[in-house]
C-alpha cells in the first residue's frame, strides 16, 4: 500500500487514499503500456559505437550538411523541446512527492523516467552531431533551468499532477511532431528522432488519461475542481527557462504549438472523460463542470486575438549566435 505524506492537508490525504484504491488499475495500465511499446535507444538513431566505419562518418557529414538548411524557427523549436526534456529530474521528483514512492506508482514513475530519459539523450545527440547550436550557450540555459527548479502551485494535490500530465504529454507530442514536420523536407534524421519522442509522449498521454479517468470515476467532484484549476492555468514545464517567452512565441507563430492546439487537446480530453455528461455532481462539481465545458470557446477566442494582434517582429537567441529570427 502506498505511503501517504504526513505533510499533506486532510483533503489531499483523502485524495491519496483514492489513488491507493486505483492501484490495480495503474498496474493494468502500465502492463498495457509495456505491451504496446517498442523499446528503442538513442544509439539506434545516432550511433556512436567505437567500431563504426567510414560509411558512418560519411552519413554524419551528410546530416550535418543538410542540417545547415534548417530554418531558425525549427532550431528554436528544437532547442525548446530539448531544454524541456532535460527538465526530467523535476518531474520525477514531482511524481514521487505527489503520488507515492512505493507500489505501482513508484513502478510507473521509474519506468516513465527511464523512457523519458532517452528523449533528452537522443535529441542532444542529434543537435550535437548535426551542429545546430552554440552548444555552450544552450548548456548554460539548461543548467539555469535545472538549477531554478520547476515548482508548480499544485498545493500538493495529486489530482492536479495527473490532470497536468494528461494535458502536458499531449502538448509535448504536438510540439515534437510538428517540429519534426518542419525538419523533414530538409534533414530527415531530425524528423526521425522527434517522431520517436512523439510516439512515446502519445503512449504516456494514454496512460495518464486513463488513470485520471479512474480518479474521475471514484471522486468526480474534487477531480473536476482540480482539472479546472490546471486547465485554466496550463503552462508548459519549460516556462522557467531563460528566454522562454520569446522561444514559445516563435513556436506559436510557426504553428508548432499554440492556443489552437491546446484547445484541441482540451476538447479531446473533455470528450474522452465525458465531462459534459457527468451526473450526480455536487454544486461545486457542477460549477467546475460548467466552467470546463466553456474552456474550448475561450481558447478559440484567445487564439483569434493572438493572431489578430500579431505583427512581424524579430527575435534573437544566443544559442543561434544572436541571429535574428523574423516571424
Amino acid at each position: 500500500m502506498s505511503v501517504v505524506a504526513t505533510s499533506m492537508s486532510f483533503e489531499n490525504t483523502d485524495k491519496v487514499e483514492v489513488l491507493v484504491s486505483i492501484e490495480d488499475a495503474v498496474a493494468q495500465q502500465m502492463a498495457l503500456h509495456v505491451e504496446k511499446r517498442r523499446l528503442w535507444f538513442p544509439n539506434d538513431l545516432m550511433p556512436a559505437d567505437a567500431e563504426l566505419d567510414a560509411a558512418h562518418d560519411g552519413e554524419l557529414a551528410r546530416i550535418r550538411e543538410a542540417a545547415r538548411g534548417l530554418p531558425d524557427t525549427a532550431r528554436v523549436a528544437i532547442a525548446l523541446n530539448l531544454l524541456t526534456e532535460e527538465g526530467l529530474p523535476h518531474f520525477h521528483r514531482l511524481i514521487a512527492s505527489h503520488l507515492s514512492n512505493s507500489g505501482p506508482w513508484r513502478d510507473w514513475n521509474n519506468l516513465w523516467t527511464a523512457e523519458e530519459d532517452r528523449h533528452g539523450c537522443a535529441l542532444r545527440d542529434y543537435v550535437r552531431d548535426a551542429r545546430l547550436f552554440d552548444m555552450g550557450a544552450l548548456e548554460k540555459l539548461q543548467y539555469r533551468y535545472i538549477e531554478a527548479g520547476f515548482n508548480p502551485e499544485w498545493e500538493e494535490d495529486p489530482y492536479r499532477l495527473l490532470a497536468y500530465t494528461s494535458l502536458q504529454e499531449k502538448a509535448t507530442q504536438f510540439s515534437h511532431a510538428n517540429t519534426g514536420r518542419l525538419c523533414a523536407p530538409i534533414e530527415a534524421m531530425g524528423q526521425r528522432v522527434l517522431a520517436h519522442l512523439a510516439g512515446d509522449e502519445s503512449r504516456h498521454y494514454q496512460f495518464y488519461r486513463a488513470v485520471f479517468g479512474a480518479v474521475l470515476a471514484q471522486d468526480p467532484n474534487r477531480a473536476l475542481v482540480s482539472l479546472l484549476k490546471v486547465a485554466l492555468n496550463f503552462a508548459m514545464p519549460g516556462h522557467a527557462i531563460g528566454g522562454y517567452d520569446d522561444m514559445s512565441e516563435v513556436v506559436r507563430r510557426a504553428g508548432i504549438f499554440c492556443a489552437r492546439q491546446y484547445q484541441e487537446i482540451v476538447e479531446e480530453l473533455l470528450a474522452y472523460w465525458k465531462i459534459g455528461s457527468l451526473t450526480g455532481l455536487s454544486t461545486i462539481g457542477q460549477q467546475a463542470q460548467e466552467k470546463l465545458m466553456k474552456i474550448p470557446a475561450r481558447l478559440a477566442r484567445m487564439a483569434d486575438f493572438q493572431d489578430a494582434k500579431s505583427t512581424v517582429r524579430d527575435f534573437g537567441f544566443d544559442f543561434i549566435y544572436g541571429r535574428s529570427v523574423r516571424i
Side-chain angles (χ1 to χ4, degrees):
M1 180 175 290
S2 298
V3 177
V4 177
T6 57
S7 62
M8 285 187 171
S9 68
F10 287 121
E11 179 185 6
N12 288 336
T13 299
D14 289 344
K15 289 179 178 179
V16 172
E17 293 303 326
V18 172
L19 299 188
V20 171
S21 75
I22 64 167
E23 284 185 345
D24 286 346
V26 172
Q28 290 169 4
Q29 287 298 322
M30 185 166 60
L32 181 62
H33 170 82
V34 171
E35 180 183 331
K36 290 164 57 178
R37 75 178 179 183
R38 183 182 67 81
L39 195 59
W40 59 272
F41 295 96
N43 199 59
D44 299 335
L45 301 169
M46 300 293 292
D49 301 307
E51 297 183 354
L52 288 171
D53 57 18
H56 173 70
D57 292 338
E59 175 63 11
L60 276 182
R62 184 206 64 76
I63 290 172
R64 198 167 298 156
E65 182 60 30
R68 292 177 183 273
L70 288 174
D72 282 338
T73 49
R75 292 170 191 261
V76 171
I78 291 170
L80 185 54
N81 289 355
L82 173 57
L83 291 167
T84 301
E85 292 290 353
E86 296 288 22
L88 179 61
H90 300 320
F91 267 91
H92 182 87
R93 168 182 55 82
L94 287 167
I95 291 172
S97 63
H98 280 73
L99 301 179
S100 172
N101 202 26
S102 64
W105 295 107
R106 176 198 58 203
D107 295 342
W108 167 255
N109 192 15
N110 290 340
L111 182 149
W112 175 85
T113 301
E115 292 185 358
E116 287 280 340
D117 182 61
R118 299 166 306 156
H119 295 183
C121 293
L123 201 48
R124 186 179 178 85
D125 287 351
Y126 173 71
V127 303
R128 180 201 61 215
D129 288 346
R131 302 291 193 267
L132 294 190
F133 302 121
D134 177 340
M135 287 301 293
L138 192 71
E139 286 172 348
K140 288 175 184 176
L141 280 179
Q142 178 183 331
Y143 176 85
R144 290 169 186 151
Y145 171 40
I146 301 297
E147 183 183 48
F150 176 62
N151 297 292
E153 296 180 358
W154 292 338
E155 299 175 327
E156 298 181 326
D157 178 359
Y159 292 4
R160 281 192 239 181
L161 181 139
L162 291 171
Y164 181 86
T165 49
S166 297
L167 293 161
Q168 186 265 334
E169 292 282 7
K170 189 67 173 180
T172 307
Q173 178 192 348
F174 265 112
S175 186
H176 287 320
N178 289 339
T179 302
R181 291 188 186 100
L182 275 183
C183 298
I186 301 161
E187 201 297 290
M189 181 55 73
Q191 192 276 334
R192 185 182 174 201
V193 171
L194 288 161
H196 276 68
L197 273 57
D200 277 354
E201 306 295 3
S202 176
R203 287 181 286 275
H204 295 161
Y205 162 70
Q206 291 169 34
F207 173 88
Y208 287 115
R209 181 182 66 176
V211 170
F212 190 79
V215 170
L216 269 169
Q218 292 279 345
D219 190 6
N221 294 300
R222 291 190 299 179
L224 288 171
V225 171
S226 295
L227 175 60
L228 177 65
K229 290 177 179 178
V230 170
L232 284 174
N233 300 290
F234 179 80
M236 290 291 274
H239 70 264
I241 297 168
Y244 172 82
D245 288 345
D246 281 354
M247 282 189 274
S248 63
E249 182 63 11
V250 169
V251 165
R252 182 190 73 80
R253 291 174 181 229
I256 294 169
F257 186 76
C258 64
R260 296 195 193 282
Q261 279 95 3
Y262 182 54
Q263 175 190 350
E264 184 177 333
I265 294 167
V266 171
E267 288 175 336
E268 181 177 314
L269 285 172
L270 292 177
Y272 180 84
W273 290 323
K274 298 181 172 61
I275 299 298
S277 60
L278 291 176
T279 59
L281 300 172
S282 67
T283 300
I284 292 175
Q286 287 177 340
Q287 291 172 347
Q289 179 188 46
E290 291 170 3
K291 291 177 181 178
L292 281 164
M293 297 308 296
K294 293 178 181 178
I295 290 178
R298 175 181 175 179
L299 291 169
R301 292 193 298 271
M302 181 187 301
D304 290 342
F305 175 77
Q306 288 175 334
D307 290 345
K309 76 168 187 173
S310 293
T311 57
V312 175
R313 57 169 287 202
D314 294 317
F315 300 84
F317 304 97
D318 290 345
F319 57 82
I320 53 171
Y321 299 94
R323 290 195 300 272
S324 178
V325 180
R326 189 169 182 80
I327 187 171

